[in-house]
Amino acid sequence: MVKEGFKSGFVAIIGRPNVGKSTLLNRIVGEKIAIMSDKAQTTRNKIQGIYTTDDAQVVFIDTPGVHKPQNSLGDFMVKSAFSALHEADAIWFMVDASQERGRGDNFIIDRLKEVKSTPIYLIINKIDLLPKDQLFEVINSYQEDAPQWAEVFPISATEGDNVPELLDGVIDQLEEGPQYFDSDQLTDHPERFIISELIREKVLQLTQQEVPHSVAVVIDQIEQEEGDKVHIQASIIVERPTQKNIVIGKQGQMIKQIGIRARKDIERLLGSKVFLEAWVKVEPRWRDRPQALQSMGYRPEDY
């Protein structure tokens, strides 16, 4: 039953890699459900974040950054991003205020022109990195040869500037509808998925440029032990033995740090003490093998 006056809907967030989509989603829902890194193409799956108030529920779809695919995993990510446009009641196209409009932005804009009847908002992120007198120039650069924006919002996802106004703006435009998820639910992804993403985030953060995006994390087992302690076993998948050596580190120091940092986030997520065991395994060219992609959760039906 739909509560009178209650609004709900789905909002897709799309943009080039590293423009701040995951940062914005995490700020809105108040928890880390999408991993963050200074590397491009961090998000691989469509992450659904849920924002609920007494009067509305907005389900956000954080899509992988749109880029030129180099392998089957890249194809999955780009198709996944564009498929979200057909599921949404509104679209947030996010750009980086500190960078000039480029070919990647134009590629997305051309696809957005094909979208009919769905309102598209231009979200100009990272205004905290831009001198105020240059903001109008940035906005102007996205007005030419572009869809008719429903509204333009300059924001800082990191600092939170104008994010409440952005939320209010999209909720105002939503129609009355049902509450799809419980009020305290923040994502539709299972805990196992979030845990694997938190571990992968630490790998990306700690290895920096030494290990490219050939890393995946598979949760092999989660077991509740006595004394409210959770035992987690995880496999960190890489493509080459040299990458395995980097992830393990000298005398196991790198894998130890990955575990320490990941455990802190996982304990916050679960509200329990966590014992985390992680192994590093080599799966050559897993990003180009459909069977390997499916075993790691990247399913063709997802796009």
Side-chain angles (χ1 to χ4, degrees):
M1 183 176 294
V2 178
K3 175 184 170 183
E4 187 176 353
F6 190 88
K7 293 186 172 186
S8 64
F10 293 78
V11 175
I13 312 174
I14 194 166
R16 288 188 295 116
N18 218 24
V19 297
K21 299 184 297 295
S22 297
T23 304
L24 177 61
L25 181 63
N26 290 338
R27 174 168 287 279
I28 288 171
V29 302
E31 290 283 352
K32 184 185 287 185
I33 62 168
I35 74 171
M36 296 180 291
S37 165
D38 57 0
K39 295 180 179 179
Q41 304 166 28
T42 301
T43 301
R44 286 178 177 166
N45 300 70
K46 290 181 293 184
I47 309 283
Q48 287 199 333
I50 305 161
Y51 175 81
T52 307
T53 68
D54 291 339
D55 304 311
Q57 184 173 82
V58 187
V59 183
F60 292 97
I61 307 168
D62 174 25
T63 62
V66 177
H67 63 286
K68 186 176 181 179
Q70 302 295 326
N71 46 51
S72 297
L73 176 60
D75 288 333
F76 166 86
M77 291 165 65
V78 172
K79 290 176 181 177
S80 178
F82 283 122
S83 71
L85 303 182
H86 305 291
E87 305 168 13
D89 299 298
I91 298 167
W92 285 358
F93 171 47
M94 183 179 286
V95 301
D96 185 340
S98 65
Q99 297 185 7
E100 292 184 0
R101 175 175 169 175
R103 286 184 297 177
D105 297 305
N106 292 335
F107 177 64
I108 298 172
I109 285 171
D110 285 341
R111 293 294 294 267
L112 290 175
K113 290 177 185 176
E114 301 171 7
V115 176
K116 307 298 181 186
S117 70
T118 305
I120 305 171
Y121 297 75
L122 174 63
I123 314 299
I124 300 176
N125 190 29
K126 305 187 184 182
I127 59 171
D128 52 306
L129 304 179
L130 189 74
K132 290 184 178 180
D133 59 356
Q134 294 182 21
L135 180 57
F136 181 74
E137 184 180 330
V138 173
I139 294 173
N140 242 11
S141 69
Y142 285 94
Q143 300 288 13
E144 192 175 322
D145 192 26
Q148 183 67 45
W149 309 119
E151 205 158 343
V152 178
F153 280 95
I155 70 162
S156 169
T158 301
E159 302 297 327
D161 297 346
N162 292 340
V163 173
E165 290 80 2
L166 173 61
L167 269 171
D168 290 343
V170 76
I171 289 173
D172 284 345
Q173 299 302 315
L174 292 177
E175 297 182 358
E176 287 191 11
Q179 182 172 321
Y180 296 99
F181 299 95
D182 292 340
S183 299
D184 59 352
Q185 190 170 343
L186 301 179
T187 180
D188 71 332
H189 278 289
E191 287 177 344
R192 183 179 290 260
F193 172 81
I194 302 297
I195 290 168
S196 71
E197 286 290 271
L198 291 173
I199 297 170
R200 187 166 69 92
E201 176 186 58
K202 306 313 174 194
V203 176
L204 294 178
Q205 289 175 346
L206 288 169
T207 58
Q208 293 302 315
Q209 300 305 317
E210 296 173 291
V211 178
H213 284 271
S214 55
V215 175
V217 175
V218 176
I219 304 301
D220 301 310
Q221 186 174 342
I222 300 178
E223 187 176 353
Q224 187 81 40
E225 297 183 340
E226 290 183 12
D228 199 32
K229 191 170 187 177
V230 180
H231 184 187
I232 298 172
Q233 295 177 321
S235 295
I236 300 173
I237 312 297
V238 294
E239 289 187 319
R240 298 192 297 272
T242 53
Q243 295 167 348
K244 177 179 179 178
N245 293 338
I246 291 169
V247 174
I248 292 174
K250 189 176 181 180
Q251 297 181 330
Q253 285 303 304
M254 180 64 77
I255 190 72
K256 181 179 179 181
Q257 285 302 311
I258 290 168
I260 289 171
R261 295 193 184 190
R263 191 182 69 246
K264 288 180 180 178
D265 278 355
I266 296 168
E267 287 180 342
R268 183 167 174 261
L269 173 73
L270 301 180
S272 303
K273 287 290 183 183
V274 168
F275 175 57
L276 175 62
E277 287 185 286
W279 293 269
V280 186
K281 300 179 181 179
V282 178
E283 292 276 354
R285 296 180 58 82
W286 69 263
R287 289 178 295 174
D288 278 316
R289 294 190 286 117
Q291 186 174 357
L293 287 172
Q294 288 189 48
S295 70
M296 295 174 197
Y298 307 111
R299 301 168 298 172
E301 60 264 34
D302 285 341
Y303 57 78

